[in-house]
Amino acid sequence: MSFSLSTHHENLQAFLNDRAPHQPEFHQAVEEVMADIKPIIDQSEPYKKANVFERLVEPERVISFQVAWQNDAGAVEVNRGYRVQFNGAIGAYKGGLRFHPTVNPSVLKFLAFEQTFKNALTGLPMGGAKGGSDFDPTGRSDAEIMRFCTAFMQELHRHIGPDIDVPAGDINVGAREIGYLFGAYRRIQGKFEGILTGKGEAFAGSAMRTEATGYGVMYFLSDMLKSHDDSIDGKTIIISGAGNVATYAAEKAVALGAKVISLSDSSGFVYDADGLTQEKIDWVRAHKAKAGASLAAYVDAFGGKWAKGETPWSLKADIAAPCATQNELGKQDAKTLAKNGIKAVIEGANMPTTADAKKVLSDKDILFAPGKAANAGGVAVSGLEISQNRQRQSSGPDEVDNALQNIMSDIHASCVAEGQKDGKVDYAKGANIAGFRKVADAMVAQGVG
Ligand code: GLU
């Protein structure tokens, strides 16, 4: 793919190798988006003149900082904290915080880049950002989590604000961590303001924010199947992950009449041929909230099979919903799913499907819903939380759930409108183009300094 670059680089790969060396996840995310939007840029004089391509792949700001904190033994540990403020053309920066040993500039740049398009797709005025730390919370005490969050906010507070950047949760950052982070900000700044979303409902959080990402995934799947004269009812679904996204996706899928036969964590996956129930899902949530708990204990509680160290893609089902983490579904997995007759793959996590795997799925005409569209429900309800905070009021769960369903339907419609390809819908292309247009138009209109 050759771009009319202002630099000497011959193609996108050479450009990325030079401008963002050793950042494979970031390259992967950019290459995937650029394949779809290059023709749009090439046909637009304003986009070319404003050099939207080079500006879109360069974060507006990357903040890296030291987080020094004291563990329970009294020793001082040092982690690295980050905030990548990628693109603020359509609104204040917005995106989650992730605490995981795999967090590094490449991962956060890919996530913030994806977030820029995802946030644009929601139709709400939010720019794209992401942040977090290489801190591993596994097995840490509650007091250690609190001290870490406080130390993290000691630096982050100077870079965020209701009109600047409003972070939220992501992997290993849930209601508890958001509470500690919010408390730290309030003590440091002496202000109660909407600088984080995913807050507890007792302190200006929105109803349904916890459920939103997982529910939204199933609303999107429902729309996608409906537009193919099909429905979720009666479908067998493989879900990976056991966190917020996975468990609420499972809950909504079961409520819509599907049979969910798996969940997974970093230690393996559970296969439950009878299907998950609300009781089993509630148990998983309570169990996983305990420090260092493995999903293996599921089979002691409910039966089923535990596959240590494996991923669930070998199971036979109608739908696969990867809801764990990036690049968890590879080429071989996609081949196995295809062989077993999978009808659709819907991404609950961010970029869980590798580029090779996506190619296998598209060659076999398997429906594919990209994360930036399918999992946008979380950040969409975050956007509603920001509005509620601005107006100092709160909406009830039904109102938020209705708004979420409408937003997911609008995102689905945008994907269909922009994703036409050979008489079919390419959802990834549709999501990339629809998100891109909004951001690029705002960039052109705002000029450069
Ligand atoms: N981390 C979530 C995501 O990947 C939510 C971000 C937010 O609510 O700001 O979209």
Side-chain angles (χ1 to χ4, degrees):
M1 189 193 315
S2 84
F3 271 86
S4 35
L5 300 162
S6 65
T7 53
H8 62 276
H9 304 97
E10 268 178 18
N11 56 38
L12 181 59
Q13 239 162 19
F15 177 83
L16 289 171
N17 283 337
D18 186 33
R19 300 286 291 165
H22 313 299
Q23 298 192 338
E25 294 86 0
F26 179 57
H27 291 198
Q28 185 184 338
V30 170
E31 279 164 7
E32 190 241 313
V33 169
M34 288 304 159
D36 290 328
I37 65 174
K38 183 182 182 298
I40 312 278
I41 296 180
D42 283 348
Q43 284 159 26
S44 162
E45 278 315 313
Y47 291 166
K48 280 195 275 191
K49 189 159 169 262
N51 200 357
V52 287
F53 161 67
E54 279 181 60
R55 289 166 62 202
L56 256 183
V57 298
E58 183 68 23
E60 292 178 354
R61 198 168 294 101
V62 178
I63 301 152
S64 164
F65 51 95
Q66 179 193 110
V67 186
W69 59 285
Q70 202 169 26
N71 67 21
D72 285 346
V76 173
E77 297 194 30
V78 180
N79 286 100
R80 211 168 267 173
Y82 303 92
R83 187 69 179 163
V84 177
Q85 297 174 332
F86 212 103
N87 187 299
I90 65 164
Y93 303 110
K94 183 84 197 85
L97 297 171
R98 175 179 293 193
F99 293 167
H100 198 271
T102 56
V103 163
N104 60 37
S106 171
V107 168
L108 291 182
K109 278 174 68 182
F110 116 65
L111 287 165
F113 179 77
E114 289 279 297
Q115 196 83 43
T116 301
F117 295 86
K118 185 196 310 197
N119 293 1
L121 280 172
T122 66
L124 301 172
M126 301 182 287
K130 207 83 186 192
S133 174
D134 58 0
F135 170 65
D136 184 358
T138 316
R140 297 294 191 171
S141 73
D142 189 56
E144 287 179 320
I145 301 286
M146 184 175 77
R147 284 196 296 274
F148 179 82
C149 287
T150 305
F152 185 85
M153 188 53 87
Q154 214 116 37
E155 171 64 28
L156 187 70
H157 79 95
R158 67 193 84 240
H159 307 292
I160 62 175
D163 293 318
I164 300 168
D165 185 354
V166 184
D170 195 78
I171 293 174
N172 290 331
V173 178
R176 173 179 62 165
E177 290 74 17
I178 293 293
Y180 291 149
L181 290 162
F182 185 79
Y185 180 91
R186 199 171 62 75
R187 289 187 293 276
I188 297 163
Q189 292 276 358
K191 283 186 210 162
F192 189 108
E193 51 183 5
I195 44 82
L196 288 167
T197 59
K199 301 184 291 295
E201 285 188 56
F203 50 103
S206 175
M208 300 292 297
R209 175 60 188 89
T210 319
E211 295 87 340
T213 312
Y215 280 19
V217 169
M218 288 301 149
Y219 293 148
F220 192 93
L221 177 64
S222 191
D223 281 341
M224 183 163 90
L225 293 177
K226 206 185 294 165
S227 73
H228 290 81
D229 300 318
D230 206 344
S231 86
I232 293 189
D233 191 25
K235 294 284 181 300
T236 302
I237 307 187
I238 313 168
I239 295 182
S240 66
N244 202 35
V245 183
T247 59
Y248 284 104
E251 182 172 296
K252 185 52 75 180
V254 172
L256 293 172
K259 186 176 183 184
V260 177
I261 57 167
S262 71
L263 287 175
S264 70
D265 67 10
S266 56
S267 60
F269 80 87
V270 63
Y271 169 50
D272 185 339
D274 296 335
L276 299 179
T277 58
Q278 189 63 47
E279 185 205 350
K280 294 173 182 177
I281 295 167
D282 290 343
W283 180 92
V284 169
R285 235 175 253 137
H287 176 69
K288 289 299 287 180
K290 294 179 208 151
S294 158
L295 195 60
Y298 181 98
V299 295
D300 302 327
F302 303 110
K305 284 202 188 95
W306 174 248
K308 193 171 172 221
E310 285 177 42
T311 52
W313 315 125
S314 55
L315 297 174
K316 198 170 159 41
D318 303 304
I319 315 278
C323 296
T325 195
Q326 65 266 11
N327 292 330
E328 57 167 311
L329 198 162
K331 186 178 181 182
Q332 208 46 50
D333 302 319
K335 284 187 178 168
T336 308
L337 288 171
K339 186 164 66 70
N340 287 339
I342 205 86
K343 294 186 175 67
V345 173
I346 179 153
E347 294 189 323
N350 292 311
M351 206 172 76
T353 316
T354 65
D356 283 357
K358 271 183 226 166
K359 172 110 186 29
V360 172
L361 300 175
S362 81
D363 287 350
K364 302 268 181 203
D365 263 341
I366 293 164
L367 280 174
F368 174 77
K372 64 172 78 71
N375 76 25
V379 77
V381 171
S382 277
L384 302 179
E385 184 170 329
I386 292 175
S387 303
Q388 293 173 60
N389 289 174
R390 282 297 199 198
Q391 295 160 40
R392 297 187 194 285
Q393 48 109 290
S394 60
S395 309
D398 292 343
E399 200 184 325
V400 177
D401 195 27
N402 277 335
L404 171 63
Q405 289 184 47
N406 288 335
I407 291 172
M408 296 315 294
S409 286
D410 289 348
I411 296 174
H412 179 267
S414 302
C415 291
V416 172
E418 296 278 16
Q420 297 298 327
K421 197 171 176 179
D422 314 326
K424 294 191 188 114
V425 178
D426 178 336
Y427 281 83
K429 177 183 166 202
N432 288 336
I433 294 177
F436 165 77
R437 276 196 211 281
K438 217 176 149 194
V439 177
D441 289 346
M443 288 166 70
V444 171
Q446 290 170 36
V448 289

